[in-house]
């Protein structure tokens, strides 16, 4: 396509030509005033001279027209998966792109916008729009059509005016949709273990009155079901049972005519923090390993240690005056009756019954364990004798009882099959092939059949370190008093510090050391699931943030951990449950994603954009896709049943040909002729 225009290539700057033109106009004016003959001819000569100096040229451009661009942005975020919105979106996209494709001179682009894995920023249609138009000059943009439910979280402050083109909105869903949602309120990020935390929330159901039942789960286990009023703030107190993340799930019952149940639930993670751990260490006769247990407890600055060593039994009478004794009397009643429940862990280190504790106090200790307490018994030769703790009421909670034999010979502790799989021992130095062997111990107390789990065995594969659960509490036994040799590096030593630390934390119910724990983590866009203590494949059910459920079979490895993984593209809380009742939770991004907070379709956020850019806004359910039309730039671009796309008419110039309109020679000859004519006219 050719296009012609006139251009100038002045021989002198325009300022000079303007001055000369002014002088010529002055001369012509004087001639007209004096009515001099030949004035008109002289004026023509001066005009020709000025035209020659301006050097006018005819430009012939070879132009190639460029197609205008129509952009269709398709919202495929999680909220668009509700109800019949996917079908509406597909049908509208196909219909609109087909119609636009039939319009001559219009290039159609489609940009699809889904959720960003692991990122919770809501629906970002305008960011996607900018990306899709990065290579398109605004003078080519004919218009934009958004196919969405209206829940857009990046509407610009100028409502899209900077685009310079109409922005149309085609809404999925229906007018007047109803949806109930659970909205978390202000809640603490941390709370002390053993205390309660107050959570705030609200069940919103616009236009509804009455109450709703909210089911509460703590760490995947049912906790309570409470009734709260709709559209009003409510609070809930939940116990903080352990250190680390305590996940509280809230789920409101379905409302009448509800759009979706996806946002009826919310999850809150509270970090349990132990204020000060209180440990009671009761030592019997002094021995070389006593310092091992004291060092274990004192290595943690968050531990308050109460340590008593029974050096002088009550029945001993050596005529020492009371005022000359440097040690205080043992506060038996205060420790084992009044304040027993305040201790997080009680350690008996080679303790021998010498009449210090009455039988009732041993019963108190057994009750303390059954009610959730933790007991660690490190025993020596006294355990096999008549005055050992096995002859007290503690025998009911101990996982192993002595036979009376003391095995006095060197041996190396060995991991049992159960110990190899248990998190207390897993990964310790010396547990993997190729690691240096552990050093030897020198004595072991023989016991009968042990209950619970044996982690280490000693002489003749007899139990050496045993763990057991008793009621709500836990008990651990170390059936040797020569563990201290590892601390001294005997024959290379062993992982005494880490092993004893893990023993203590397992007793205090540290979640990371649970032997049958179900663990879930997010890594690289995938949900990784691990079930400890597996002896075969473990069947699990994965519940995605949008409520869909899928099975997953976890395959065991040699260490007794069954593992599996799935893609986790959706942002939100993922729930994993096994057939034996274990539950794990993992969040991809935020546990309560913005995208799923509000699900009803709405025109409110995009109506200002349509108004500011002159676009149209229509419900697909009420009239289908409006008819696309071409309109002049700046004119009305939307109305009932139609939407306009501006006809910008942009082009590129492939070539230019110039033709001089005032050749200098021709103008000179013509001017000379006019001067001669003027001279002749004056000589008559």
């Amino acid at each position: 396509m050719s296009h012609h225009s006139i251009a100038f290539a002045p021989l002198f700057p325009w300022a000079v030509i303007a001055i000369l033109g002014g002088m010529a106009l002055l001369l012509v004016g004087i001639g007209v005033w004096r009515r001099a003959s030949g004035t008109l001819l002289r004026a023509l000569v001066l005009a020709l001279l000025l035209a020659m100096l301006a050097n006018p040229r005819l430009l012939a451009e070879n132009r190639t027209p460029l197609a205008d661009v129509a952009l269709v942005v398709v919202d495929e975020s999680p909220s668009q998966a509700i109800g019949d919105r996917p079908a509406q979106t597909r049908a509208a996209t196909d219909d609109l792109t087909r119609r636009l494709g039939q319009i001559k001179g219009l290039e159609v682009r489609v940009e699809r916008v889904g959720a960003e894995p692991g990122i919770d920023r809501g629906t970002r249609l305008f960011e996607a729009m900018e990306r899709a138009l990065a290579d398109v000059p605004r003078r080519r943009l004919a218009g934009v059509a958004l196919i969405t439910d209206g829940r857009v979280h990046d509407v610009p402050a100028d409502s899209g005016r900077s685009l310079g083109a109409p922005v149309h909105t085609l809404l999925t869903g229906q007018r007047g949709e109803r949806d109930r949602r659970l909205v978390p309120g202000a809640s603490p990020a941390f709370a002390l273990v053993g205390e309660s935390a107050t959570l705030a929330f609200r069940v919103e159901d616009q236009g509804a009155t009455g109450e709703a039942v909210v089911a509460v789960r703590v760490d995947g286990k049912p906790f309570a079901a409470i009734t709260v009023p709709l559209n009003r703030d409510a609070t809930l107190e939940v116990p903080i049972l352990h250190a680390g993340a305590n996940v509280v799930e809230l789920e409101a019952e379905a409302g009448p005519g509800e759009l979706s149940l996806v946002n009826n639930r919310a999850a809150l993670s509270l970090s349990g923090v132990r204020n000060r751990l209180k440990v009671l260490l009761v030592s019997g006769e002094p021995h070389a390993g006593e310092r091992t247990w004291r060092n274990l407890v004192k290595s943690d600055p968050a531990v308050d240690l109460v340590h008593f060593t029974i050096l002088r039994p009550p029945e001993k009478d050596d005529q020492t005056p009371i005022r000359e004794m440097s040690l205080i009397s043992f506060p038996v009643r205060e420790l084992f009756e009044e304040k027993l429940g305040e201790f997080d862990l009680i350690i008996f280190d080679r303790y021998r019954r010498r009449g210090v504790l009455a039988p009732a106090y041993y019963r108190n200790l057994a009750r303390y364990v059954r009610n959730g307490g933790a007991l660690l018994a490190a025993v020596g030769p006294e355990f096999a004798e008549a005055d050992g703790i096995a002859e007290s009421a503690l025998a009911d909670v101990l996982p192993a009882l002595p036979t009376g034999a003391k095995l006095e010979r060197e041996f190396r502790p060995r991991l049992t099959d159960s110990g190899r799989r248990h998190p207390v021992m897993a990964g310790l130095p010396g547990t993997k092939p190729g690691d240096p062997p552990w050093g030897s111990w020198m004595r072991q107390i023989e016991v009968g059949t042990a209950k619970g789990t044996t982690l280490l065995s000693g002489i003749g594969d007899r139990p050496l370190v045993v763990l057991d659960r008793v009621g709500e509490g836990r008990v651990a036994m170390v059936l040797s008093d020569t563990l201290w040799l590892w601390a001294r590096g005997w024959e290379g030593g062993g992982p005494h510090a880490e092993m004893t630390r893990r023993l203590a934390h397992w007793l205090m119910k540290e979640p990371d050391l649970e032997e049958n724990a179900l663990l879930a983590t997010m890594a690289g866009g995938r949900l990784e699931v691990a079930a400890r203590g597996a002896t075969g494949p473990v069947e699990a059910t994965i519940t995605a943030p949008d409520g869909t459920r899928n099975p997953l079979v976890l395959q065991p490895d040699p260490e007794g951990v069954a593992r599996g993984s799935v893609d986790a593209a959706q942002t939100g809380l993922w729930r994993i449950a096994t057939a034996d009742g274990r539950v794990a939770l993992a969040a991809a991004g935020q546990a309560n994603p913005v995208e799923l907070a509000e699900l009803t379709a709405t025109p409110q956020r995009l109506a200002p954009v349509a108004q500011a850019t002159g676009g149209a806004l229509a419900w697909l359910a009420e009239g289908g896709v409006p008819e696309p039309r071409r309109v002049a730039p700046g004119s009305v671009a939307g109305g009932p049943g139609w939407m306009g796309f501006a006809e910008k008419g942009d082009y590129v110039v492939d070539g230019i040909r110039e033709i001089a309109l005032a050749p200098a020679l021709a103008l000179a000859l013509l001017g000379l002729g006019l001067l001669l004519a003027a001279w002749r006219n004056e000589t008559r």
Side-chain angles (χ1 to χ4, degrees), residues 279-630:
V279 177
L280 173 61
L281 173 58
V282 182
S283 300
E285 59 190 71
H287 68 105
E290 182 178 354
R291 178 63 59 177
T292 299
W293 300 108
R294 182 176 178 85
N295 289 344
L296 162 68
V297 179
K298 294 299 291 182
S299 64
D300 189 342
V303 171
D304 288 332
L305 173 64
V306 178
H307 185 192
F308 285 93
T309 300
I310 310 300
L311 299 176
R312 185 176 186 275
E315 71 275 6
K316 184 175 182 180
D317 185 9
D318 54 7
Q319 306 301 318
T320 303
I322 296 296
R323 63 179 181 274
E324 295 181 10
M325 290 185 179
S326 61
L327 301 182
I328 65 172
S329 61
F330 193 19
V332 178
R333 184 173 181 275
E334 182 180 6
L335 292 177
F336 293 96
E337 183 173 342
E338 297 177 358
K339 296 185 177 181
L340 181 62
E342 297 180 6
F343 289 102
D344 297 288
L345 173 64
I346 296 177
I347 303 175
F348 280 104
D349 175 30
R350 286 200 59 176
Y351 180 75
R352 187 187 300 271
R353 292 186 304 119
R354 290 182 167 181
V356 176
L357 297 183
Y361 293 138
Y362 291 106
R363 291 194 293 270
N364 287 348
L365 283 167
R367 189 181 306 113
Y368 159 82
V369 171
R370 293 191 184 94
N371 291 338
L375 174 65
L376 173 59
V379 301
E382 81 293 334
F383 186 62
E385 298 171 1
D387 54 359
I389 60 175
E391 299 298 325
S392 69
L394 279 179
D396 295 337
V397 297
L398 295 177
L401 298 177
T403 62
K406 307 169 191 175
L407 308 178
E408 303 273 357
R409 63 176 182 270
E410 183 178 352
F411 68 94
R412 290 182 184 269
R414 295 185 300 277
L415 272 176
T416 64
D417 290 339
S418 298
R420 196 175 304 278
R421 296 192 297 267
H422 202 286
V424 168
M425 303 301 299
L428 289 178
T431 60
K432 298 179 181 179
D435 287 350
W438 291 333
S440 300
W441 292 5
M442 296 299 178
R443 178 163 52 206
Q444 180 177 358
I445 308 304
E446 184 181 64
V447 295
T449 302
K451 298 181 290 184
T453 303
T454 300
L455 303 185
L456 294 180
S457 62
I459 301 171
D461 289 331
R462 293 175 176 86
L464 183 61
V465 176
V466 184
L467 308 181
D468 193 21
R469 297 169 184 261
V470 181
E472 297 296 324
R474 302 184 179 190
V475 181
M477 294 188 71
V478 179
L479 298 166
S480 174
D481 59 344
T482 57
L483 169 63
W484 61 273
L485 291 170
W486 278 2
R488 304 290 176 83
W490 173 257
E491 294 183 347
H496 72 288
E498 181 63 15
M499 186 184 77
T500 52
R501 187 194 69 81
R502 291 188 187 183
L503 277 175
H505 283 272
W506 178 87
L507 287 167
M508 291 184 288
K509 303 176 183 178
E510 182 71 32
D512 291 341
L513 295 172
E514 293 297 310
E515 63 271 30
N516 294 315
L518 182 66
L519 307 175
T521 56
M522 291 290 174
R526 293 187 66 81
L527 173 65
E528 306 283 349
V529 184
R532 290 176 178 163
T535 57
V538 177
E539 295 183 359
T541 300
I542 310 296
T543 303
D546 63 0
T548 58
R549 297 185 178 184
N550 292 291
L552 176 66
V553 179
L554 310 178
Q555 298 296 336
D557 60 17
E559 296 181 353
V561 180
R563 304 180 187 274
S565 65
V566 296
D567 289 328
Q570 295 184 33
T571 300
L573 188 70
W574 291 73
R575 192 172 192 271
I576 305 93
T578 60
D580 57 5
R582 288 181 287 176
V583 175
L585 305 169
Q590 296 294 324
N592 307 297
V594 173
E595 176 61 31
L596 297 179
E598 297 178 287
L599 299 177
T600 54
T602 177
Q604 295 179 357
R605 297 184 182 180
L606 294 176
V609 176
Q611 182 178 3
T613 62
L617 189 147
W619 290 86
L620 292 172
E622 297 179 358
V625 177
E627 177 190 357
R629 301 177 185 175
R630 299 307 299 273

Side-chain angles (χ1 to χ4, degrees), residues 68 104-105 139 141-142 629-633 645-650:
D68 294 332
K104 186 177 180 181
R139 62 179 181 271
L141 182 60
R629 301 177 185 175
R630 299 307 299 273
V631 296
F645 291 83
E647 193 167 1
K648 296 295 186 70
D650 195 21

